[in-house]
Amino acid sequence: MRWTHVSTGIDPCWVLMTECGSWYHQPDARLWRCAPPPETAFQYHRGLPAYRPTALVECPTLATELGVGRVFVKDESSRLGLGSFKVLGASWAVARLLAARTVANASLTVDVLRQAAAEDPFELVTATEGNHGRALAYVGRLLGLPVRVFAPDRVPAAAVAAIAATGAEVSTVAEPYDRVVDRAADYAAFRGRELVQDTAWPGYERVPGWIVAGYQTLLGEIDGQLRVHGEPGPDLVAAPVGVGSLAQAVVTHYRAAQPPGPAVLAVEPTTAAGLMASLRRGTPQSVPTTHTTMTGLNCGRLSSAAWPVLAAGLDAATAVDDQAAQAAVEDLASLGISSGPSGAASLAGVRAALSGTGHERRREELGLTSASTVVLLNTEGATNR
């Protein structure tokens, strides 16, 4: 184990290298401020069929284990029957696409958008590791728009079948996720289709921005649910990271408020730690990826829109292996919470931060005490990987 000083080009930080992963901390992240999200999708989401806030589950046994006051798990396994938070972003992005094409001055409701889609049908295209593709397929079926999904051939067959069963045309590609994104973008550009991708790159920022705005509904739900529990807000929020769009939404949500706000911890697989590599270098890095059971996080390239937000406003990042993620899956299941390895990564990451050699320092860096409130984002259910 060793501590290594790293200059990120923003603020100095320390990276703790261990056998099982790594640790990054940026001391002044909670002082960084950004503009609030320019819009809210909450009103639109409330009009979706069967919408209801997903549960915020308190887990006293985890609080005892982690040495904090309270632990809550935001459980996305029941989101609209799709088992993932992804539909919040996909649905809002498609609503905004339709509004931009046909109904800019109309109220965005499902009925209005269905009529607009009938008058001007167009194909939606995306690449996915599973959950985003299924979410977009659901939105297409809801509004009457065709959907084409590209997926790496390593995506489990059950996930591909779930996307197809929701009505999309699915093409599997024998390439890593980042190359499959390129394939989907090329297909959409060549055929004049609408790409709905949950990652940004130079020249493609508008739709990913809408997707990130859609994720604000999840965070707004947490705010209200914590108040019901008598908590003004969290002290730490842990989010799994693939391309970084969800973590971008989390940082934006809390850094738009008055300081200090909670610490935000990003968690990614050791085999796809693109964020960690980028933080170490102080510039976006693309890393090769290999197999991981955290399929939804198996991304080697960050969203270009997420990077500046995370580089400035993210408190800490860590990487965990498949064994740690699986242990978290099993422990959440014992508490009645359905989770896949990608969703359980948040628990695995907090455990890595708050235990083992150096945990006292990491706890201090996160500002945690025995009275702190921790929120873990469980982004997927057990069968959605």
Side-chain angles (χ1 to χ4, degrees), residues 13-373:
C13 66
W14 289 89
V15 176
L16 174 63
M17 300 299 297
T18 70
E19 293 181 358
C20 61
S22 53
W23 174 255
Y24 165 91
H25 173 246
Q26 181 166 275
D28 297 327
R30 267 168 280 183
L31 300 178
W32 181 72
R33 301 261 79 62
C34 64
E39 58 192 359
T40 176
F42 181 58
Q43 190 65 30
Y44 175 68
H45 287 145
R46 289 204 304 179
L48 294 177
Y51 167 80
R52 62 178 181 179
T54 54
L56 186 71
V57 183
E58 185 165 12
C59 301
T61 57
L62 292 181
T64 300
E65 174 195 339
L66 298 172
V68 296
R70 305 178 83 175
V71 171
F72 295 91
V73 176
K74 181 60 170 171
D75 183 10
E76 291 296 295
S77 66
S78 63
R79 180 70 72 179
L80 293 178
L82 299 172
S84 166
F85 76 104
K86 292 282 191 176
V87 69
L88 295 174
S91 61
W92 184 238
V94 175
R96 289 302 310 271
L97 276 171
L98 278 163
R101 291 171 68 112
T102 59
V103 293
N105 297 319
S107 173
L108 295 185
T109 67
V110 170
D111 288 342
V112 167
L113 295 175
R114 281 173 175 160
Q115 181 61 35
E119 295 172 357
D120 181 23
F122 54 91
E123 186 179 46
L124 306 171
V125 178
T126 199
T128 189
E129 292 276 15
N131 289 326
H132 177 69
R134 188 179 180 193
L136 190 64
Y138 163 87
V139 175
R141 185 175 65 181
L142 177 68
L143 300 179
L145 292 171
V147 177
R148 179 171 294 274
V149 175
F150 293 83
D153 60 359
R154 64 191 179 193
V155 171
V160 173
I163 298 169
T166 313
E169 294 289 332
V170 185
S171 300
T172 57
V173 182
E175 291 181 302
Y177 171 76
D178 299 305
R179 285 291 303 131
V180 177
V181 171
D182 296 337
R183 180 74 65 92
D186 291 344
Y187 172 90
F190 181 75
R191 296 179 178 256
R193 310 301 198 238
E194 290 284 5
L195 182 68
V196 184
Q197 200 59 56
D198 53 350
T199 186
W201 54 85
Y204 183 73
E205 293 94 4
R206 184 178 68 159
V207 170
W210 289 334
I211 288 174
V212 171
Y215 296 158
Q216 292 297 325
T217 292
L218 181 158
L219 298 161
E221 290 175 1
I222 292 173
D223 290 343
Q225 290 166 324
L226 283 176
R227 287 193 292 270
V228 170
H229 284 279
E231 293 289 341
D235 298 299
L236 172 68
V237 178
V241 170
V243 298
S245 293
L246 176 60
Q248 176 190 352
V250 174
V251 171
T252 301
H253 182 78
Y254 291 110
R255 300 297 178 249
Q258 291 299 312
V264 180
L265 172 67
V267 187
E268 56 188 346
T270 55
T271 56
L275 174 59
M276 185 70 69
S278 300
L279 293 169
R280 287 175 181 163
R281 295 290 187 90
T283 187
Q285 302 293 309
S286 180
V287 300
T289 60
T290 58
H291 172 76
T292 173
T293 58
M294 292 171 274
T295 310
L297 310 180
N298 198 14
C299 313
R301 188 168 64 201
L302 287 174
S303 166
S304 64
W307 165 247
V309 174
L310 301 181
L314 179 70
D315 293 86
T318 192
V320 298
D321 60 23
D322 285 357
Q323 183 177 0
Q326 184 57 38
V329 167
E330 294 169 3
D331 291 339
L332 288 172
S334 72
L335 298 173
I337 298 171
S338 173
S339 181
S342 296
S346 58
L347 172 57
V350 171
R351 280 175 162 167
L354 302 185
S355 64
T357 304
H359 74 274
E360 298 93 345
R361 178 174 184 153
R362 295 191 293 275
R363 180 181 294 269
E364 181 180 353
E365 289 172 340
L366 293 171
L368 296 182
T369 71
S370 60
S372 295
T373 297

